[in-house]
Amino acid sequence: MTRRRSIPLPAPGTTVEIRYRRLRRPTETYRQQVLKSGARGIVTFQPRTPIDAPLTVADTTILEPGSPVIWFTFPRAWHDIGLFHLADGTFTGLYANILTPVEFASEHCWETTDLCLDVWVPQRGTACLLDEAELADAEAAGLVASEVAARAREEASALMEGLAAASWPPALVGEWSLARVDSSLLGLRGPRL
């Protein structure tokens, strides 16, 4: 019988470094503060998104340069979730990246590979699956194995089905907002003197 290696969960208030590999692009490293860490998932905060141009879906801006994002990482899951906002803090929706399960190299260093597909659940409007053609192109070019591409498609389909059945996203996601982040950060830093 093999035992699963325990995953070193980071403590709230610490910073994690996430090495994020994308197909056809250099690896990017993101640093995020841990707000909550436990069996239900790890909540991290990115106060200012380091993107150069707005991210849009169907001609609607869903994320701007410098916008805050609350991230949810689930050990062994093939996706993560971000609560997206505009730069002024207006909530725009939920964005799930389909990716390889996060490799917890250490308590403060994680690695994963983006598998192109994304599920977008807008604050108002209809959820949609994004970037199917991008995954198909990467698979055809040999940048992602067929088994991995199939697993990515299964994950995206399961998320869309879970959304339709109101069984996804997990309750943890609905418990967080920028107001709660502010409160958590104040608690982690302690009162100002």
Side-chain angles (χ1 to χ4, degrees), residues 171-188:
L172 175 65
V173 175
E175 297 170 7
W176 285 84
S177 65
L178 288 180
R180 180 167 180 194
V181 168
D182 288 344
S183 176
S184 292
L185 290 174
L186 180 61
L188 292 171

Side-chain angles (χ1 to χ4, degrees), residues 4-5 14 17 30 32 77 86 91 101 108-109 138 142 156 159 161 166 169 178:
R4 283 189 175 197
R5 185 175 71 99
T14 61
E17 184 174 274
Y30 299 101
Q32 298 171 11
L86 299 178
F91 176 64
H108 303 289
C109 183
L159 298 186
E161 289 170 12
L178 288 180

